[in-house]
Amino acid sequence: MQSFIVEHLRGEVVDVYCGGPDVFSGRIESCADNVLTLEQNGKYTYIAIDKIIALWRAQYP
């Protein structure tokens, strides 16, 4: 999944689903060493790649 994210989604704003109530949003800053880094409003979220169930480009009305 890491290579797919780097090649197709880097720089995109996405929502990331990790199960249950865990959905994270932000712009993909990087994806390296099995960690996805999202940035939103100057704050960073780091997500272990193996915890990701699904991700998609964010849809804004």
Side-chain angles (χ1 to χ4, degrees):
M1 180 180 288
Q2 181 171 314
S3 62
F4 177 83
I5 292 169
V6 170
E7 291 175 26
H8 300 284
L9 296 173
R10 186 162 187 234
E12 298 280 345
V13 176
V14 297
D15 294 327
V16 180
Y17 178 63
C18 296
D22 297 331
V23 177
F24 303 95
S25 298
R27 184 175 52 82
I28 296 176
E29 280 285 311
S30 67
C31 187
D33 300 324
N34 293 316
V35 176
L36 174 65
T37 303
L38 300 178
E39 183 274 329
Q40 186 174 35
N41 300 324
K43 296 185 180 183
Y44 292 89
T45 302
Y46 304 95
I47 304 167
I49 294 287
D50 64 340
K51 300 298 182 189
I52 296 172
I53 295 172
L55 69 143
W56 55 91
R57 287 183 178 91
Q59 300 294 318
Y60 295 101

